[in-house]
Amino acid sequence: MSGIRPTGFLHLGNYFGAVRNYVRMQEEFECFFMVADLHSLTTHPDTKELKENVYRVLSENIACGLDPDKAALYCQSHVPETTELYLFLNMLAYKGELEKTVTFKEKVRQHPDNVNAGLLTYPVLQTADIILHRALYVPVGKDQEQHLEMARNFANRFNHRYGDVFPEPQAFNFGDELVKVPSLDGTGKMSKSENQNATLYLSDSDELIRSKVKKAKTDSGPTEPDSVKPDIIENVFSLLKLVSAAEVVEKYESDFNNCTIRYGDLKQQLGEDMVKFIAPIREKAAAIRNNPAYLKEVMEKGAEKARQSAQATMKLVKEAMGLNYY
Ligand code: TRP
Protein backbone atom coordinates (compact mmCIF):
# COMPACT_ATOMS: atom_id res chain seq x y z
CA MET A 1 0.00 0.00 0.00
CA SER A 2 1.19 3.47 -0.72
CA GLY A 3 -0.17 6.97 -1.01
CA ILE A 4 0.58 9.57 -3.63
CA ARG A 5 0.25 13.27 -2.84
CA PRO A 6 -1.86 15.09 -5.44
CA THR A 7 0.32 18.20 -5.34
CA GLY A 8 2.89 19.11 -7.96
CA PHE A 9 3.76 17.37 -11.19
CA LEU A 10 5.48 14.00 -11.37
CA HIS A 11 9.19 14.27 -12.16
CA LEU A 12 12.04 11.97 -12.99
CA GLY A 13 12.94 11.57 -9.30
CA ASN A 14 9.41 10.36 -8.49
CA TYR A 15 9.59 7.96 -11.40
CA PHE A 16 12.87 6.27 -10.47
CA GLY A 17 12.40 6.67 -6.71
CA ALA A 18 8.81 5.51 -6.35
CA VAL A 19 6.60 4.78 -9.33
CA ARG A 20 8.95 2.23 -10.87
CA ASN A 21 8.85 0.36 -7.56
CA TYR A 22 5.04 0.37 -7.55
CA VAL A 23 4.99 -1.02 -11.06
CA ARG A 24 7.21 -3.91 -10.01
CA MET A 25 5.23 -4.56 -6.84
CA GLN A 26 1.91 -4.90 -8.65
CA GLU A 27 3.32 -8.00 -10.39
CA GLU A 28 4.14 -9.76 -7.11
CA PHE A 29 1.72 -8.50 -4.47
CA GLU A 30 -1.86 -7.49 -3.93
CA CYS A 31 -1.44 -3.73 -4.09
CA PHE A 32 -3.36 -0.62 -3.12
CA PHE A 33 -2.22 2.75 -4.48
CA MET A 34 -4.16 5.74 -3.33
CA VAL A 35 -4.23 9.42 -4.23
CA ALA A 36 -4.20 11.26 -0.91
CA ASP A 37 -6.74 14.02 -1.53
CA LEU A 38 -7.68 14.28 2.16
CA HIS A 39 -4.07 14.68 3.24
CA SER A 40 -3.68 17.54 0.80
CA LEU A 41 -6.38 19.49 2.69
CA THR A 42 -4.01 19.80 5.66
CA THR A 43 -1.83 22.21 3.70
CA HIS A 44 -4.00 23.14 0.70
CA PRO A 45 -7.43 24.11 2.08
CA ASP A 46 -8.27 25.83 -1.20
CA THR A 47 -9.69 23.03 -3.35
CA LYS A 48 -9.93 24.94 -6.62
CA GLU A 49 -7.22 22.84 -8.23
CA LEU A 50 -7.71 19.62 -6.29
CA LYS A 51 -9.79 17.67 -8.81
CA GLU A 52 -7.53 18.55 -11.70
CA ASN A 53 -4.48 17.53 -9.65
CA VAL A 54 -6.03 14.20 -8.68
CA TYR A 55 -6.92 13.40 -12.30
CA ARG A 56 -3.47 14.40 -13.48
CA VAL A 57 -1.53 12.44 -10.89
CA LEU A 58 -3.66 9.36 -11.61
CA SER A 59 -3.11 9.75 -15.36
CA GLU A 60 0.63 10.17 -14.88
CA ASN A 61 0.92 7.10 -12.67
CA ILE A 62 -1.03 4.96 -15.12
CA ALA A 63 1.13 6.28 -17.96
CA CYS A 64 4.19 5.13 -16.00
CA GLY A 65 2.85 1.58 -15.87
CA LEU A 66 0.49 1.30 -12.91
CA ASP A 67 -2.23 -1.04 -14.08
CA PRO A 68 -5.77 -0.60 -12.72
CA ASP A 69 -6.46 -4.26 -13.54
CA LYS A 70 -3.60 -5.42 -11.32
CA ALA A 71 -3.55 -2.94 -8.44
CA ALA A 72 -6.38 -1.07 -6.74
CA LEU A 73 -5.91 2.54 -7.81
CA TYR A 74 -8.19 4.80 -5.84
CA CYS A 75 -8.87 8.16 -4.36
CA GLN A 76 -8.66 8.42 -0.56
CA SER A 77 -11.99 10.20 -0.09
CA HIS A 78 -13.79 7.43 -2.00
CA VAL A 79 -13.06 5.09 0.91
CA PRO A 80 -14.81 6.64 3.94
CA GLU A 81 -13.72 3.72 6.13
CA THR A 82 -10.36 5.53 6.10
CA THR A 83 -11.73 8.43 8.08
CA GLU A 84 -13.61 6.16 10.45
CA LEU A 85 -10.45 4.27 11.34
CA TYR A 86 -8.61 7.59 11.57
CA LEU A 87 -11.02 8.68 14.28
CA PHE A 88 -10.45 5.52 16.32
CA LEU A 89 -6.70 5.85 15.95
CA ASN A 90 -6.80 9.48 17.04
CA MET A 91 -7.77 8.29 20.54
CA LEU A 92 -4.57 6.25 20.63
CA ALA A 93 -2.27 9.01 19.40
CA TYR A 94 -0.79 11.43 21.91
CA LYS A 95 -0.37 15.14 21.39
CA GLY A 96 3.23 14.99 22.58
CA GLU A 97 4.39 12.41 20.06
CA LEU A 98 2.51 14.11 17.23
CA GLU A 99 4.12 17.45 18.02
CA LYS A 100 7.57 15.86 17.82
CA THR A 101 7.07 14.63 14.24
CA VAL A 102 9.69 16.14 11.94
CA THR A 103 7.25 16.78 9.05
CA PHE A 104 4.83 18.51 11.43
CA LYS A 105 7.54 20.82 12.72
CA GLU A 106 8.59 21.62 9.16
CA LYS A 107 5.04 22.46 8.11
CA VAL A 108 4.55 24.66 11.19
CA ARG A 109 7.59 26.60 10.04
CA GLN A 110 6.29 26.87 6.47
CA HIS A 111 2.67 27.79 7.31
CA PRO A 112 2.72 29.34 10.80
CA ASP A 113 -0.78 30.75 10.25
CA ASN A 114 -2.39 27.39 9.44
CA VAL A 115 -1.34 24.98 12.18
CA ASN A 116 -4.56 22.98 12.13
CA ALA A 117 -5.43 19.75 13.94
CA GLY A 118 -5.41 17.82 10.66
CA LEU A 119 -1.80 18.77 10.17
CA LEU A 120 -0.94 17.54 13.65
CA THR A 121 -2.69 14.21 13.05
CA TYR A 122 -1.40 13.76 9.48
CA PRO A 123 0.55 10.63 10.52
CA VAL A 124 -2.60 9.18 12.09
CA LEU A 125 -4.50 9.52 8.80
CA GLN A 126 -1.54 7.97 6.99
CA THR A 127 -1.60 5.07 9.47
CA ALA A 128 -5.30 4.58 8.76
CA ASP A 129 -4.56 4.45 5.00
CA ILE A 130 -2.03 1.70 5.54
CA ILE A 131 -3.52 -0.52 8.21
CA LEU A 132 -7.01 -0.26 6.71
CA HIS A 133 -5.76 -2.93 4.29
CA ARG A 134 -3.68 -4.62 6.99
CA ALA A 135 -0.77 -3.88 4.67
CA LEU A 136 2.67 -5.40 5.26
CA TYR A 137 4.80 -3.41 2.83
CA VAL A 138 4.75 0.29 2.14
CA PRO A 139 6.95 1.52 -0.71
CA VAL A 140 8.06 4.99 0.42
CA GLY A 141 11.16 7.15 0.39
CA LYS A 142 13.44 7.98 3.29
CA ASP A 143 11.40 11.07 4.19
CA GLN A 144 8.49 8.83 5.23
CA GLU A 145 10.37 6.56 7.61
CA GLN A 146 9.26 8.39 10.73
CA HIS A 147 5.62 8.17 9.62
CA LEU A 148 6.04 4.43 9.12
CA GLU A 149 7.51 4.06 12.58
CA MET A 150 4.50 5.93 13.98
CA ALA A 151 2.18 3.65 12.00
CA ARG A 152 3.81 0.63 13.64
CA ASN A 153 3.38 2.26 17.06
CA PHE A 154 -0.29 3.05 16.53
CA ALA A 155 -1.00 -0.43 15.12
CA ASN A 156 0.73 -2.08 18.08
CA ARG A 157 -1.05 0.17 20.53
CA PHE A 158 -4.39 -0.81 19.02
CA ASN A 159 -3.45 -4.50 19.21
CA HIS A 160 -2.42 -4.20 22.87
CA ARG A 161 -5.53 -2.35 23.90
CA TYR A 162 -8.16 -4.22 21.89
CA GLY A 163 -6.59 -7.45 20.60
CA ASP A 164 -4.54 -8.46 17.59
CA VAL A 165 -5.95 -7.04 14.39
CA PHE A 166 -3.06 -5.40 12.59
CA PRO A 167 0.25 -6.71 11.28
CA GLU A 168 3.22 -4.32 11.50
CA PRO A 169 3.70 -2.40 8.27
CA GLN A 170 7.23 -1.80 7.07
CA ALA A 171 8.90 0.41 4.49
CA PHE A 172 9.70 -1.47 1.32
CA ASN A 173 12.07 -1.22 -1.61
CA PHE A 174 13.40 -3.81 -3.97
CA GLY A 175 16.81 -3.80 -2.34
CA ASP A 176 18.56 -2.42 -5.39
CA GLU A 177 20.89 0.39 -4.48
CA LEU A 178 18.65 3.39 -3.91
CA VAL A 179 18.48 5.29 -7.18
CA LYS A 180 19.46 8.86 -6.80
CA VAL A 181 18.16 11.29 -9.38
CA PRO A 182 20.29 14.44 -9.02
CA SER A 183 18.98 17.83 -10.05
CA LEU A 184 20.48 19.48 -13.12
CA ASP A 185 22.11 22.34 -11.21
CA GLY A 186 24.34 20.16 -9.08
CA THR A 187 22.50 20.87 -5.82
CA GLY A 188 20.64 17.93 -4.29
CA LYS A 189 17.92 15.84 -5.88
CA MET A 190 15.14 16.60 -8.34
CA SER A 191 12.27 17.97 -6.31
CA LYS A 192 8.65 19.00 -6.74
CA SER A 193 8.97 22.36 -5.13
CA GLU A 194 12.54 23.57 -5.51
CA ASN A 195 14.11 25.07 -8.66
CA GLN A 196 11.89 23.78 -11.43
CA ASN A 197 14.54 24.44 -14.07
CA ALA A 198 16.78 21.82 -12.53
CA THR A 199 14.02 19.21 -12.44
CA LEU A 200 12.73 17.22 -15.41
CA TYR A 201 8.97 16.73 -15.20
CA LEU A 202 7.22 13.91 -17.02
CA SER A 203 4.99 16.62 -18.51
CA ASP A 204 7.84 18.73 -19.96
CA SER A 205 7.79 19.32 -23.72
CA ASP A 206 10.66 18.02 -25.87
CA GLU A 207 11.99 21.55 -26.25
CA LEU A 208 11.88 22.23 -22.53
CA ILE A 209 13.67 18.96 -21.78
CA ARG A 210 16.42 19.80 -24.27
CA SER A 211 16.89 23.29 -22.94
CA LYS A 212 16.97 22.21 -19.28
CA VAL A 213 19.53 19.50 -20.02
CA LYS A 214 21.63 21.90 -22.06
CA LYS A 215 21.89 24.19 -19.02
CA ALA A 216 23.03 21.40 -16.69
CA LYS A 217 26.13 22.40 -14.74
CA THR A 218 29.45 21.05 -16.02
CA ASP A 219 33.04 22.30 -15.78
CA SER A 220 35.99 22.73 -18.11
CA GLY A 221 36.76 19.01 -18.11
CA PRO A 222 39.42 16.73 -16.62
CA THR A 223 43.06 17.67 -17.07
CA GLU A 224 44.58 14.35 -16.00
CA PRO A 225 43.68 10.86 -17.23
CA ASP A 226 41.50 8.74 -14.95
CA SER A 227 40.57 11.60 -12.63
CA VAL A 228 37.92 11.30 -9.97
CA LYS A 229 34.74 12.95 -11.25
CA PRO A 230 33.66 16.12 -9.47
CA ASP A 231 30.13 15.88 -8.04
CA ILE A 232 28.46 17.91 -10.79
CA ILE A 233 29.96 15.65 -13.46
CA GLU A 234 29.07 12.52 -11.51
CA ASN A 235 25.49 13.84 -11.47
CA VAL A 236 25.35 14.18 -15.25
CA PHE A 237 26.68 10.63 -15.59
CA SER A 238 24.05 9.37 -13.12
CA LEU A 239 21.32 10.83 -15.33
CA LEU A 240 22.92 9.35 -18.44
CA LYS A 241 22.95 5.91 -16.80
CA LEU A 242 19.23 6.14 -16.10
CA VAL A 243 18.12 6.73 -19.68
CA SER A 244 20.95 6.03 -22.15
CA ALA A 245 22.23 2.80 -23.67
CA ALA A 246 25.21 1.08 -22.00
CA GLU A 247 27.47 1.76 -25.02
CA VAL A 248 26.72 5.45 -24.79
CA VAL A 249 27.63 5.54 -21.10
CA GLU A 250 30.84 3.61 -21.82
CA LYS A 251 31.84 5.95 -24.61
CA TYR A 252 31.57 9.00 -22.37
CA GLU A 253 33.25 7.23 -19.45
CA SER A 254 36.25 6.49 -21.63
CA ASP A 255 36.23 10.01 -23.15
CA PHE A 256 36.29 11.33 -19.60
CA ASN A 257 39.12 9.04 -18.60
CA ASN A 258 41.32 10.03 -21.52
CA CYS A 259 40.41 13.72 -21.22
CA THR A 260 38.76 14.01 -24.64
CA ILE A 261 35.26 14.45 -23.30
CA ARG A 262 33.12 17.27 -24.70
CA TYR A 263 30.36 18.11 -22.31
CA GLY A 264 28.38 19.86 -25.04
CA ASP A 265 28.11 16.55 -26.92
CA LEU A 266 27.36 14.63 -23.75
CA LYS A 267 24.49 16.97 -22.89
CA GLN A 268 23.19 16.87 -26.45
CA GLN A 269 23.04 13.06 -26.23
CA LEU A 270 21.52 13.16 -22.74
CA GLY A 271 18.87 15.63 -23.93
CA GLU A 272 17.86 13.38 -26.83
CA ASP A 273 17.75 10.26 -24.64
CA MET A 274 15.67 12.11 -22.03
CA VAL A 275 13.23 13.15 -24.74
CA LYS A 276 12.99 9.53 -25.90
CA PHE A 277 12.30 8.44 -22.35
CA ILE A 278 9.86 11.16 -21.28
CA ALA A 279 7.87 11.90 -24.47
CA PRO A 280 5.95 8.58 -24.61
CA ILE A 281 5.00 8.86 -20.92
CA ARG A 282 3.91 12.48 -21.39
CA GLU A 283 1.80 11.59 -24.41
CA LYS A 284 0.22 8.59 -22.75
CA ALA A 285 -0.60 10.64 -19.63
CA ALA A 286 -2.22 13.35 -21.78
CA ALA A 287 -4.32 10.78 -23.63
CA ILE A 288 -5.55 9.30 -20.34
CA ARG A 289 -6.22 12.73 -18.87
CA ASN A 290 -8.36 13.52 -21.91
CA ASN A 291 -10.49 10.45 -21.35
CA PRO A 292 -12.74 11.26 -18.37
CA ALA A 293 -14.89 8.16 -18.90
CA TYR A 294 -11.83 5.95 -18.51
CA LEU A 295 -10.60 7.82 -15.41
CA LYS A 296 -14.01 7.55 -13.81
CA GLU A 297 -14.07 3.82 -14.47
CA VAL A 298 -10.56 3.39 -13.02
CA MET A 299 -11.46 5.29 -9.85
CA GLU A 300 -14.72 3.42 -9.39
CA LYS A 301 -13.08 0.05 -9.84
CA GLY A 302 -10.25 0.98 -7.48
CA ALA A 303 -12.60 2.33 -4.82
CA GLU A 304 -14.67 -0.84 -5.05
CA LYS A 305 -11.65 -3.08 -4.39
CA ALA A 306 -10.36 -0.81 -1.66
CA ARG A 307 -13.71 -0.62 0.11
CA GLN A 308 -14.06 -4.38 0.11
CA SER A 309 -10.72 -4.74 1.82
CA ALA A 310 -11.52 -1.83 4.16
CA GLN A 311 -14.88 -3.22 5.20
CA ALA A 312 -13.34 -6.57 6.10
CA THR A 313 -10.81 -4.81 8.33
CA MET A 314 -13.40 -2.52 9.94
CA LYS A 315 -15.45 -5.54 10.91
CA LEU A 316 -12.45 -6.92 12.81
CA VAL A 317 -11.75 -3.50 14.30
CA LYS A 318 -15.27 -3.05 15.62
CA GLU A 319 -15.42 -6.58 17.01
CA ALA A 320 -12.11 -6.04 18.78
CA MET A 321 -13.27 -2.68 20.15
CA GLY A 322 -16.66 -3.97 21.26
CA LEU A 323 -18.45 -1.61 18.90
CA ASN A 324 -20.33 -4.54 17.34
CA TYR A 325 -23.86 -3.83 18.57
CA TYR A 326 -26.82 -6.12 17.74
N1 TRP B 1 2.66 11.13 3.40
C1 TRP B 1 2.96 10.57 2.10
C2 TRP B 1 3.86 11.56 1.34
O1 TRP B 1 3.98 12.69 1.75
C3 TRP B 1 1.73 10.29 1.28
C4 TRP B 1 0.87 9.24 1.91
C5 TRP B 1 -0.41 9.39 2.37
C6 TRP B 1 1.22 7.87 2.11
N2 TRP B 1 -0.87 8.22 2.83
C7 TRP B 1 0.08 7.27 2.69
C8 TRP B 1 2.38 7.11 1.84
C9 TRP B 1 0.09 5.91 3.03
C10 TRP B 1 2.37 5.77 2.17
C11 TRP B 1 1.25 5.17 2.77
O2 TRP B 1 4.41 11.21 0.32
Side-chain angles (χ1 to χ4, degrees):
M1 192 281 147
S2 198
I4 304 159
R5 261 176 304 180
T7 45
F9 288 71
L10 226 60
H11 55 69
L12 214 62
N14 301 131
Y15 179 85
F16 287 104
V19 188
R20 203 175 51 159
N21 240 342
Y22 303 163
V23 173
R24 277 179 72 177
M25 282 184 96
Q26 73 185 356
E27 304 298 332
E28 288 176 42
F29 301 94
E30 185 190 354
C31 292
F32 295 88
F33 297 111
M34 173 277 286
V35 182
D37 59 342
L38 300 175
H39 272 114
S40 81
L41 298 175
T42 63
T43 47
H44 296 70
D46 182 346
T47 52
K48 248 197 334 280
E49 289 166 11
L50 180 60
K51 268 205 287 276
E52 185 51 42
N53 286 335
V54 168
Y55 295 143
R56 198 196 56 240
V57 90
L58 253 179
S59 305
E60 287 181 330
N61 276 275
I62 298 170
C64 289
L66 272 194
D67 182 345
D69 290 323
K70 292 181 179 156
L73 264 179
Y74 66 100
C75 180
Q76 193 177 27
S77 63
H78 285 167
V79 182
E81 289 80 3
T82 307
T83 46
E84 191 181 16
L85 182 56
Y86 164 64
L87 181 102
F88 296 157
L89 295 174
N90 269 325
M91 317 309 180
L92 299 170
Y94 298 107
K95 179 170 167 276
E97 64 187 333
L98 295 171
E99 281 170 343
K100 279 194 303 198
T101 315
V102 174
T103 50
F104 174 69
K105 291 193 286 190
E106 251 167 38
K107 285 171 189 164
V108 170
R109 230 175 295 127
Q110 290 162 357
H111 317 264
D113 48 358
N114 185 22
V115 184
N116 60 74
L119 199 58
L120 181 67
T121 56
Y122 183 112
V124 185
L125 182 56
Q126 182 165 347
T127 302
D129 294 330
I130 298 168
I131 70 178
L132 189 59
H133 304 298
R134 304 170 75 226
L136 298 175
Y137 305 119
V138 186
V140 284
K142 268 236 162 309
D143 65 318
Q144 295 294 310
E145 262 163 26
Q146 189 179 28
H147 289 172
L148 258 276
E149 191 185 327
M150 295 173 83
R152 283 191 289 278
N153 286 337
F154 299 144
N156 283 328
R157 226 173 271 165
F158 181 98
N159 290 344
H160 279 129
R161 184 156 309 163
Y162 299 114
D164 258 334
V165 172
F166 299 113
E168 274 193 5
Q170 62 185 80
F172 181 88
N173 64 60
F174 270 97
D176 313 342
E177 56 188 279
L178 263 179
V179 248
K180 172 181 143 201
V181 182
S183 73
L184 293 166
D185 62 2
T187 64
K189 300 183 301 173
M190 287 196 184
S191 140
K192 274 188 188 170
S193 37
E194 284 152 54
N195 52 356
Q196 312 209 326
N197 279 324
T199 294
L200 293 170
Y201 294 89
L202 300 180
S203 51
D204 284 348
S205 69
D206 293 353
E207 275 328 295
L208 189 54
I209 296 168
R210 290 192 183 100
S211 89
K212 283 179 178 179
V213 171
K214 202 177 202 171
K215 289 189 205 122
K217 278 236 161 53
T218 50
D219 58 19
S220 52
T223 49
E224 282 186 33
D226 301 314
S227 307
V228 174
K229 293 191 191 83
D231 286 348
I232 52 167
I233 302 303
E234 191 63 61
N235 287 349
V236 177
F237 272 90
S238 302
L239 294 169
L240 196 71
K241 282 178 199 154
L242 292 175
V243 294
S244 300
E247 311 87 76
V248 171
V249 179
E250 271 161 39
K251 173 200 164 356
Y252 286 104
E253 291 278 6
S254 82
D255 287 359
F256 178 87
N257 286 332
N258 59 34
C259 304
T260 59
I261 193 160
R262 294 166 50 157
Y263 289 131
D265 294 351
L266 168 56
K267 289 195 281 181
Q268 170 87 22
Q269 173 83 43
L270 180 61
E272 291 314 313
D273 289 341
M274 279 295 175
V275 166
K276 275 195 205 119
F277 183 81
I278 292 174
I281 299 178
R282 179 189 65 225
E283 281 155 23
K284 193 163 176 214
I288 296 167
R289 176 63 199 96
N290 289 323
N291 190 346
Y294 173 73
L295 278 175
K296 181 170 154 58
E297 185 191 307
V298 166
M299 287 197 288
E300 279 172 1
K301 189 159 67 179
E304 177 64 34
K305 285 195 233 175
R307 291 200 65 186
Q308 245 178 43
S309 150
Q311 282 162 6
T313 301
M314 289 315 284
K315 187 159 182 289
L316 299 177
V317 164
K318 288 183 187 173
E319 274 164 16
M321 292 179 76
L323 290 170
N324 52 342
Y325 302 102
Y326 307 131

